[in-house]
Amino acid sequence: MNKQLKVLFIGTYVPKECGIATFTADLLNSVSWGYNDIHCEVIALNDPSETHNYPDEVVFQIQRDRIEDYYRAADYINQSDIDIVCLQHEFGLFWGNAGDYIFALLSGINKPVISTMHTVIREPEPEYRVSTEKLIRYSEKLIVMSQTAVDMLKDVYKAPADKIELIFHGVPDYPFDTCDKYKKMLNLKGSPLVLTFGLLSPNKGIESMLDALPEVVSQYPDLVYLILGATHPMIKKNFGEAYREYLKNKVSELGLEKNVVFHDKFVEKEELCKYILASDIYVSPYLSKEQIVSGALTYAIGMGKAIISTPYWYAQEMLADNRGLLVDFGDTNGFRDSLLHLIESPEECDNMRKKAYDFGRKMTWKNVGKQYNTVFTKALKSYSAYSSTSNRFSFLPNELPEVKLDYLKLLTDDVGIIQHSNLGVPARHHGYSTDDVGRALVALTKLIDSQKKAEELWKLITTYMSFLEHAQTETGHFHNFMSYKREFLDEKGSEDTLGRAIYGLGHVVSCPYLSRNMRTLAHTLISKAMPEMKKLSYPRAKAYTMCGLYEILRTDVDVDEFEPVFNSRRDAVKPIDSLASKDDFESIFISHADSLVELYEANHKEDWDWFEPIVTYSNAKLSEALLLAYDYTKDRTYRKVGLATLDFLTEIQWKGDFFDVVGNDGWYSYNGEKPIFDQQPIEAGYLTQAYISAYEIVRDRKYLELAKYAFEYFLGRNRLQAVMYDYSTGAVCDGLNRDGMNCNQGAESVICFLMALTSLNKHMKKAFSTTLLQSSTSGELDDGALEKRKSLLSANQAE
């Protein structure tokens, strides 16, 4: 290889006391042993609340019941220079349904995955079949340790033959030796010394051996049966030492106290090998046929032991050709006769040992490491970036969806917009909110580009304006929540509620295709809210208000146009006597812009370009408000802070091919951990709008491309690759949770989608051609197609 190969192993790892942890450590050492050009690292899996003092090669840890850790591990892998991932797969290692938490990691990485399968099930339950099939799909290569497993993958799961590699379980390389020196070393007795080792659990079948011993020890009283191993941690956690006590009681009942020895401890590999080498006979009395691999049996073979085993799948294959004796499950007489045969036929026993030892030479860790390295090299050569997860968003459409208002209309009745739904059915008991109505007015007015369009949307806009007029309090503030019984549930809403109402009303005032009466009413409601607008203290409320006032200021609305209508109905809008002027709006607009800059100056740090020490909700609206302030005033301070904070939001949320918006499960504090869930679609919608505003104001094309990517969050460009937009109804799902997509479809989600869509629609052709040109430079297009797209881009730029 021309450069150092970097391999990342995922599995349990030493010093954790478990067979796969030992296997992972041995495999890592065998892969890297003697190779200066191979570097290995580990992501270790931990049980809940478990901590270990891991060696330096462990670079990341997953608490296996926390799905967020699997996602973060995927992020770590993508950001690293790892070349290949080697996963140790056993269903019980991972949390979820049939261990499906691991797919949160595998579905999100852009590296080739080699999966070592420690379990293959011949007759799987549905969830295990699904899990296995997904593992096959996400793996570049599947490594199994027996021909039986190869056949099952092909026959049961239809795995492609060229994906499957047979590499035996590794064993330490010890010379073929007699047992005596190791017995002395460990101070062990027994002639013969019979051994069973491994984590103790009821499926070991040790009681079958105990029942076989009385007749044997009556003839060979010096026989010792050593049962070596601690109780399996999960068995101990759930059932204590019940199985061990059962075995001890059986020993007493059978009068075998002098012949049966329990060593209740987890032994490290070096000590374990000495125990195996000290034994004369190894017994593997498992009760389950569906055992596809056994590290214990493999070690016994590799060290040349005489072996008696039940005929589970792995044993049948490994002990073929007279490399051991097979006894039926639970067959006490079979174990008795086999023990006597081996004791009384030393020459045949020795031949059996040699056959096992010779077969084990191909399984030494040195040879296993070479075979894994060969598979790694083959996988890297065949790995295709196009078919990998780096292009996992290839399902995205090549154009924006058409504007579809069906679902918004479904949520709207003659009062307003019903806030929430239950799986797409309006949930009336949640009632209505000013928050949704204000933003809905923004979405609808941005759709109006002609008188005809205004007439189409007249009924919806009238209903929403009626709601806001009714929701405004005597002081000019607004109630927020109204029950389905048409009763307001609060004295007044939050400051954000006021800001969102002004946001929508500002768009109505500035829309030239709406009637003068409608625009006058909107202007009147804003004017009445002026005292409350001046008192705002929360940054997002100020940002919403600025976005609404900007629409009036940028279009230079003439207040004189509304005076005649206002004067004719002045009695209906007490306590105000006149409409607010442009100077009034400008004063509040600039005051709020300055306060946002002051907030930024007070809180930003070298590595934290934000207004507050925490990133919470509706974040991009703050940046967008300052960019609009720059556009109106040309004060470059607003531009500097607006772009700095917008770029910061990009930095903490853009993962290279999708947006991972800040979740509201704890928010994102300075020096804290960014929560992955629960992600709200409003953040993607506001990012889209903010990027479009940035593009329109500073003309940097990167913001146009980011706007497209942010919008595609709704279409599946997100962490879960979940399509949140329903093309048939126009509904949008409410968020991404650790358990998947929230399939409720509330008003906020669809409104923010429409706001984003209408913002991006103005630049659709440019946005898509820009992205396509960029993708073409990665080698996905031939030269002719590339030139065609360059020409298209040039035409768009000229346009």
Side-chain angles (χ1 to χ4, degrees), residues 49 96 127 150 179 331 411 433 442 516 539 589 643 707 770 780:
S49 304
E127 63 270 27
V150 172
C179 312
D331 183 359
L411 292 176
S433 80
V442 176
R516 187 171 63 163
F589 182 78
L643 292 178
T770 301
E780 295 175 21

Side-chain angles (χ1 to χ4, degrees), residues 660-679:
D660 203 28
V661 300
V662 172
N664 68 12
D665 186 14
W667 306 123
Y668 182 26
S669 301
Y670 178 68
N671 282 338
E673 190 175 71
K674 182 167 80 82
I676 294 177
F677 302 111
D678 299 318
Q679 296 186 17

Side-chain angles (χ1 to χ4, degrees), residues 7 9 167 276 290 401 646:
V7 182
F9 292 89
I167 303 178
I276 299 171
E290 290 79 20
L646 184 57

Side-chain angles (χ1 to χ4, degrees), residues 79-129:
Q79 293 161 13
S80 73
D81 58 355
I82 289 298
D83 295 304
I84 203 157
V85 174
C86 186
L87 171 72
Q88 304 309 303
H89 185 271
E90 162 65 57
F91 297 104
L93 284 186
F94 317 108
W95 224 255
N97 194 15
D100 65 359
Y101 273 23
I102 189 58
F103 300 115
L105 187 158
L106 297 184
S107 65
I109 61 174
N110 53 12
K111 314 280 184 177
V113 176
I114 311 299
S115 294
T116 302
M117 299 183 69
H118 292 261
T119 297
V120 182
I121 305 173
R122 187 186 296 276
E123 297 178 358
E125 295 295 325
E127 63 270 27
Y128 286 93
R129 174 178 288 279

